[in-house]
Amino acid sequence: LYFFFLMIRRPPRSTQSRSSAASDVYKRQDNDLRIRITDVGQSRWEVPNQFPYPHEQSPISVSNPLYNVQVSAQPFGIAVTRTSTNEVVFNSSGFNFIYSDYYIEFGSTLATKYVYGLGERSRSLLLENGTYTIFARDYMADVDDGTGGHNLYGQHPILLTREASGAWHTLFFRSSNPMDVSVLTTSSPFSNKFQVVGGIIDLKIFFSTTGPEEAISRYHAYVGGWITMPFWGFGYHQCRWGYRNISTLQQIASKFSENGIPLDVLWNDLDYMQNQTDFTVDQDNFPTAQLSSFLQQYELKYVPLVDAGVAVMNNTYYHEGIKRDVFLKNSSGFPLTGWVWPGKTHFVDYLHPNASEYWADMLALLKNQIDFSGIWIDMNEPSSFCPGECTYDEVIGFHGDPSDPTSFDQFVDYFNKVIDENPEQNEFSQLIPYIPGNFTNLDIQTISMNASHYGNITNFNLHSLYGFHNGKATHDYLKDRLGQPQPFIISRSSAFGSGQFVSHWTGDNVATWEFLRYSIASIINFNFFGIPFTGADICGFGVDTTPQLCARWAALGSFYPFSRNHNQIGRVDQEPYALGPDVLAAFKSNLKLRYSLLKFYYSLFVRQGGVGTVFRPLFFVFPNETILLQQPIVDEQFILGDELLVTPVLYENATSVNAYFPNDNAWYDLLTGKLVRSATDKVRQVNIQAPLNGTVPIFLRGGFIVATQDVTDVTRTHQLSNSFNLVAAVQPVDKKGISYGATGQLAAADDYNDWQRLRKCFEANCIVNFEVEAVQTQNGFSVILKTTKRDSQTQADTLSLKGVRVYGLPGFKPAEKVVLKTQKETLTLNTLEIATFSKYTVDITFPSSLELIDGMTVEVNFTGAVMLENTSKSKNCLLYTSPSPRDS
């Protein structure tokens, strides 16, 4: 621990400067460090070091730190180097250091130009030269060009950086205040600069010894980790602003059924409410009993929207809020008034001791009227259509119809005009010498920074945590009141630590190819931020989509963690069946493929244990390939876990895509088994044909196994059985080429939708390991499958195996006989009926499904089958028992 005083330079325009401050440098663990600089003798806002905020959860324990720290007082500077390489990962020396009441500035060197993070925003994953604003903000369809002011809904001030040595670290600025972060990466020395209004300096640095995944996982553990959504949430979701009655929902469900399209969840936007008012239901159009009956008939889940603003009107919800004194206060001590969809609104102050109970009680009243399974919380930055507080008569008197697209545009233009003509001159716009984002003030489309939370905390400091608190209160209601072990909540606004309570969608995008492309980077970023179950509105929210764009978005969106189609009222219909046969075929084939892999996909989340990433950039798995760190690959391909590489089509009129395959691995088309690149092939980029109505190009990495299921008659997650097919891409495990192997994992639970069967996966673990080995023998060759528990804590249910599909074996001559051996029996199979042979393929159907138990070995001996030399790029051995999802 280093502790010292330093003199503070007075910044321009600052009305209050600090004469001295204290700096603490804590060596918390061998792989993490904390730097905290605050005032001497004056208390100022900082994020509390306690739950639910990020906080230290373990005692200081340092024996062999991965870093060295040097502190200098004149001039002030802190330098942090990695011990093993002596490389500087942070050095504030030589940069301006300004510390006043309402403005802080400091900078640091960057190890390399490969820097990622700083959310929320829509743009390329790699942070190129520019300024990036962080401040929760409601703004539709904004692409960040690095000029500042293009911040979106969340507060995630983290930087993931690759060092010159190839090591990685994560820097987290533990601040809820508005800030600009400038990144200089066009020339060396690379650097960044933080300019923040309010708060203190509180930095955490997490060091990795293995790669970027470890650096991010350590950050996730610090902010509380993330929860895994219920299994039904991994199904397909259909939503729209404009589903005005139950008849519309019934027609949609019927159309999905007629076309055999998977669907698990229907959603409603504002349409189900009375006058767009929270906690109300339009019983004329959404009668309670009829809606419940319909959902049961179609075996669907239902998720409604709940906005942050509580309408100011004569009803229970408003009067209870006033009675319990739970609304945010203005500078005069009265409930602050905003303007959202129902008109005048107040906003819950979640710091008030009565607030959580009030919010839960209101949601309970909603639950009595409509049978929801999860909740969609929106407008919780919080958003308000007038700046600061609504005190303008002309604003209150606006009579346009926001539900009409033309009127909505006029509506937004009108309030922007009010903002321009009535700049808010509250305390903070006068005091702060710098406004991040080049804004005229911070109140644009949100409530006043001068609003007061319980405990006399100003909204200026707490604004960007509003969605965080809204999410926690909603989570507590679903978990504590309804007894849901895995609350399903999708929130627009988020902050560091929100993943403990909610998941996310990327907000109001538009139907353009640009937003299709940027959706990949957005979802990867939220895997960095600790909210991996994230998705973008498939086919686009605003602007009319096109059949071609929607078909390509269907292919990509079917592999988002959160897969939902949603669009704006008044736009063209974009349900899977609404835009023609190609779009229908694209949705159906890709969703069928998703559902066939869904238990594998869910297992990726389970095996992470609430930290780390699932939807990854390629450099997370192959960190030593520099080409993977930059455009276009970093933005246009991703890998699910370590196993499945996805390369979607992202450009208009393209009929193929150039897929880059990382080195040292063979890669196979998941559905056909075609070898698209061998491990030794010098050519790493391959052009892949991708028909508009086909499945997304998806490839299995050599040496790995994935589990699939027959989904011929499946359109709901609960219809998935406990029976699996394994797809193994084996690689040589010896130089002689007589032994080949692959490994994989799966969550072994009888029913992923039954918490009593699934809970062991989270309270202990339920992961089983698979190993497939193909070995040349004296009389032919054998394929051997072994199953084992991941560790001594594993509690696994019995799985059923229908077949194994193996890619990557050399060719062979036909076998004379096939013998199947398990612990229970040995069967000699009729080769003419059971197995057929070609030069490189053997198809086997097990006579019955095999129950896989811990420590079980299944061996298939092919007597007389001689393995040939591995000389052809197309050679593979295919063992299967059901058609591929492409044929289903």
Side-chain angles (χ1 to χ4, degrees):
L1 168 65
Y2 299 84
F3 178 84
F4 57 91
F5 294 101
L6 56 149
M7 303 303 294
I8 303 301
R9 170 184 169 190
R10 180 187 295 270
R13 292 182 57 203
S14 176
T15 59
Q16 297 288 331
S17 64
R18 297 294 98 209
S19 60
S20 62
S23 174
D24 303 327
V25 181
Y26 301 90
K27 292 183 177 181
R28 293 293 314 180
Q29 305 288 329
D30 284 344
N31 43 35
D32 79 74
L33 169 73
R34 184 179 183 187
I35 300 169
R36 181 176 176 271
I37 303 175
T38 189
D39 279 355
V40 173
Q42 176 171 311
S43 176
R44 53 194 292 159
W45 164 256
E46 59 181 295
V47 177
N49 191 49
Q50 62 189 38
F51 178 83
Y53 311 104
H55 61 286
E56 309 295 349
Q57 301 183 46
S58 56
I60 294 175
S61 176
V62 180
S63 58
N64 187 26
L66 301 178
Y67 50 84
N68 287 315
V69 181
Q70 290 184 329
V71 181
S72 58
Q74 295 294 333
F76 171 70
I78 299 176
V80 181
T81 58
R82 182 180 288 270
T83 305
S84 60
T85 62
N86 205 34
E87 185 174 357
V88 177
V89 299
F90 180 90
N91 187 358
S92 65
S93 302
F95 294 88
N96 282 343
F97 186 83
I98 304 172
Y99 203 113
S100 72
D101 285 345
Y102 294 110
Y103 181 74
I104 294 173
E105 179 182 326
F106 65 98
S108 170
T109 55
L110 288 170
T112 68
K113 64 181 180 180
Y114 299 116
V115 185
Y116 311 87
L118 298 182
E120 180 180 4
R121 65 198 72 257
S122 291
R123 60 158 287 116
S124 171
L125 192 66
L126 179 65
L127 291 171
E128 298 171 306
N129 211 64
T131 296
Y132 304 99
T133 305
I134 300 179
F135 177 68
R137 167 177 172 258
D138 172 15
Y139 200 84
M140 180 176 176
D142 197 2
V143 173
D144 198 327
D145 60 1
T147 57
H150 299 284
N151 45 303
L152 293 175
Y153 315 102
Q155 179 96 358
H156 298 281
I158 75 162
L159 284 170
L160 172 67
T161 305
R162 183 182 189 264
E163 299 160 27
S165 64
W168 292 80
H169 67 269
T170 299
L171 182 146
F172 169 44
F173 185 12
R174 194 174 177 276
S175 172
S176 60
N177 287 81
M179 68 182 76
D180 278 337
V181 185
S182 299
V183 176
L184 177 61
T185 56
T186 53
S187 60
S188 183
F190 308 121
S191 65
N192 62 8
K193 178 175 67 174
F194 290 86
Q195 295 170 278
V196 57
V197 288
I200 68 167
I201 297 175
D202 194 353
L203 304 175
K204 288 279 291 186
I205 304 176
F206 304 91
F207 293 83
S208 167
T209 59
T210 59
E213 179 68 16
E214 181 190 352
I216 284 296
S217 295
R218 293 192 180 281
Y219 166 70
H220 291 178
Y222 174 68
V223 298
W226 45 261
I227 59 171
T228 301
M229 293 291 108
F231 186 56
W232 59 262
F234 282 70
Y236 178 71
H237 302 246
Q238 184 62 47
C239 181
R240 183 175 187 173
W241 181 12
Y243 291 160
R244 293 186 178 276
N245 51 53
I246 192 173
S247 296
T248 303
L249 297 182
Q250 290 170 329
Q251 291 170 9
I252 292 165
S254 178
K255 283 284 190 180
F256 270 81
S257 295
E258 289 173 14
N259 288 284
I261 309 166
L263 174 68
D264 266 272
V265 193
L266 280 175
W267 294 51
N268 262 128
D269 207 305
L270 296 163
D271 309 277
Y272 79 94
M273 301 176 181
Q274 290 180 350
N275 302 315
Q276 302 169 332
T277 301
D278 273 356
F279 316 121
T280 66
V281 175
D282 179 355
Q283 290 292 340
D284 291 336
N285 290 302
F286 294 90
T288 300
Q290 188 177 348
L291 180 61
S292 295
S293 176
F294 151 68
L295 294 171
Q296 291 175 12
Q297 175 189 351
Y298 281 90
E299 300 179 302
L300 292 169
K301 305 293 185 180
Y302 178 74
V303 175
L305 174 83
V306 178
D307 276 339
V310 177
V312 178
M313 59 178 56
N314 187 20
N315 61 28
T316 300
Y317 322 107
Y318 173 70
H319 289 303
E320 279 297 314
I322 294 295
K323 177 183 176 181
R324 304 188 199 191
D325 193 30
V326 297
F327 294 130
L328 280 172
K329 302 298 191 298
N330 61 20
S331 57
S332 300
F334 297 103
L336 179 140
T337 301
W339 184 277
V340 199
W341 302 114
K344 289 185 180 181
T345 53
H346 293 334
F347 297 86
V348 177
D349 173 10
Y350 290 101
L351 267 59
H352 194 285
N354 297 335
S356 293
E357 185 177 11
Y358 164 79
W359 189 251
D361 288 344
M362 299 307 103
L363 291 175
L365 292 175
L366 177 61
K367 179 70 171 176
N368 291 337
Q369 303 170 76
I370 199 163
D371 188 19
F372 56 77
S373 301
I375 297 177
W376 171 21
I377 50 178
D378 193 12
M379 307 289 285
N380 54 345
E381 292 73 31
S383 178
S384 179
F385 297 144
C386 58
E389 182 166 14
C390 289
T391 58
Y392 313 116
D393 292 338
E394 62 268 35
V395 172
I396 304 303
F398 182 81
H399 296 297
D401 178 9
S403 66
D404 174 72
T406 302
S407 181
F408 179 77
D409 293 338
Q410 296 172 354
F411 185 70
V412 173
D413 290 343
Y414 184 84
F415 282 114
N416 286 337
K417 181 174 181 289
V418 171
I419 291 168
D420 292 337
E421 295 179 353
N422 297 276
E424 184 81 358
Q425 293 298 322
N426 64 27
E427 176 186 350
F428 291 101
S429 64
Q430 297 173 22
L431 288 178
I432 59 178
Y434 178 86
I435 299 178
N438 299 313
F439 297 117
T440 56
N441 68 75
L442 293 171
D443 293 351
I444 295 177
Q445 205 159 330
T446 190
I447 61 176
S448 173
M449 295 299 103
N450 205 30
S452 178
H453 294 259
Y454 185 83
N456 200 31
I457 300 173
T458 59
N459 192 49
F460 169 72
N461 291 313
L462 210 61
H463 163 86
S464 288
L465 296 183
Y466 193 88
F468 171 90
H469 290 117
N470 178 218
K472 181 183 183 301
T474 307
H475 172 273
D476 290 350
Y477 161 72
L478 290 174
K479 188 168 186 177
D480 299 338
R481 292 282 192 96
L482 295 189
Q484 293 185 1
Q486 295 176 285
F488 181 89
I489 305 165
I490 299 296
S491 175
R492 190 169 73 178
S493 185
S494 65
F496 40 83
S498 284
Q500 302 171 92
F501 312 115
V502 303
S503 288
H504 179 65
W505 100 105
T506 60
D508 295 341
N509 63 8
V510 289
T512 66
W513 292 90
E514 182 180 39
F515 272 92
L516 170 70
R517 289 190 289 274
Y518 284 148
S519 70
I520 295 175
S522 294
I523 294 168
I524 290 173
N525 262 328
F526 272 89
N527 274 257
F528 295 170
F529 301 156
I531 313 177
F533 187 79
T534 293
D537 286 342
I538 295 172
C539 297
F541 174 73
V543 182
D544 287 343
T545 194
T546 66
Q548 184 187 162
L549 175 61
C550 196
R552 293 305 188 191
W553 218 319
L556 170 57
S558 292
F559 289 89
Y560 292 160
F562 171 47
S563 182
R564 184 186 72 160
N565 183 328
H566 178 48
N567 70 325
Q568 190 179 30
I569 192 170
R571 304 303 178 188
V572 66
D573 293 347
Q574 61 185 43
E575 291 81 14
Y577 48 78
L579 289 168
D582 284 341
V583 177
L584 173 61
F587 266 106
K588 188 171 180 179
S589 62
N590 283 286
L591 286 175
K592 282 287 189 179
L593 179 55
R594 177 186 179 90
Y595 275 61
S596 75
L597 291 163
L598 204 56
K599 290 196 173 182
F600 164 76
Y601 205 160
Y602 196 77
S603 296
L604 296 181
F605 282 77
V606 172
R607 78 186 190 191
Q608 287 298 129
V611 296
T613 65
V614 173
F615 189 103
R616 296 168 172 165
L618 271 61
F619 70 77
F620 261 52
V621 182
F622 303 95
N624 295 324
E625 293 198 45
T626 305
I627 193 173
L628 303 180
L629 299 169
Q630 50 202 340
Q631 299 173 349
I633 296 171
V634 75
D635 293 326
E636 298 182 4
Q637 296 182 245
F638 59 92
I639 190 166
L640 300 178
D642 295 325
E643 293 93 332
L644 292 177
L645 174 63
V646 182
T647 307
V649 175
L650 301 171
Y651 292 89
E652 190 172 13
N653 298 325
T655 58
S656 63
V657 61
N658 290 323
Y660 181 91
F661 295 96
N663 202 14
D664 299 329
N665 274 97
W667 294 90
Y668 300 85
D669 185 303
L670 175 66
L671 303 183
T672 68
K674 178 183 178 181
L675 176 65
V676 292
R677 182 187 177 274
S678 72
T680 57
D681 197 336
K682 294 182 180 179
V683 177
R684 300 191 191 179
Q685 196 165 60
V686 181
N687 185 263
I688 306 295
Q689 293 299 307
L692 184 65
N693 58 3
T695 52
V696 70
I698 184 169
F699 308 96
L700 178 59
R701 180 183 173 193
F704 287 85
I705 301 169
V706 297
T708 69
Q709 296 189 279
D710 182 0
V711 293
T712 304
D713 299 317
V714 170
T715 58
R716 305 286 187 271
T717 54
H718 70 81
Q719 295 169 347
L720 290 167
S721 70
N722 200 35
S723 184
F724 296 88
N725 295 284
L726 300 182
V727 183
V730 296
Q731 292 198 140
V733 295
D734 61 37
K735 294 182 179 180
K736 296 180 180 179
I738 61 174
S739 180
Y740 299 77
T743 59
Q745 294 183 322
L746 187 69
D750 286 342
D751 185 351
Y752 283 31
N753 279 301
D754 182 353
W755 176 249
Q756 295 308 315
R757 305 301 304 171
L758 192 64
R759 66 186 305 164
K760 59 179 171 289
C761 298
F762 300 98
E763 295 175 356
N765 80 74
C766 65
I767 298 296
V768 295
N769 299 321
F770 297 111
E771 180 182 350
V772 169
E773 184 180 8
V775 183
Q776 184 173 322
T777 65
Q778 185 174 2
N779 298 321
F781 74 93
S782 297
V783 174
I784 303 167
L785 168 67
K786 299 177 181 178
T787 63
T788 57
K789 295 179 179 179
R790 185 166 72 173
D791 55 46
S792 60
Q793 302 299 313
T794 301
Q795 301 175 28
D797 293 335
T798 300
L799 302 175
S800 177
L801 180 66
K802 295 177 67 177
V804 183
R805 180 185 303 152
V806 181
Y807 302 148
L809 288 174
F812 49 84
K813 294 179 180 178
E816 298 169 1
K817 68 176 182 178
V818 180
V819 178
L820 170 67
K821 294 182 179 180
T822 71
Q823 271 91 334
K824 295 183 178 180
E825 57 187 351
T826 299
L827 298 176
T828 300
L829 307 179
N830 186 328
T831 58
L832 296 178
E833 295 179 3
I834 303 301
T836 58
F837 294 85
S838 62
K839 188 173 183 181
Y840 299 116
T841 303
V842 175
D843 296 342
I844 298 175
T845 301
F846 292 146
S848 60
S849 294
L850 302 175
E851 290 189 350
L852 297 181
I853 57 177
D854 179 44
M856 183 175 184
T857 299
V858 178
E859 183 174 348
V860 184
N861 295 314
F862 297 87
T863 303
V866 180
M867 299 176 74
L868 305 177
E869 291 188 14
N870 193 353
T871 58
S872 170
K873 289 186 179 181
S874 63
K875 53 178 84 59
N876 62 77
C877 173
L878 181 64
L879 292 76
Y880 72 97
T881 61
S882 64
S884 73
R886 183 171 288 167
D887 300 324
S888 294

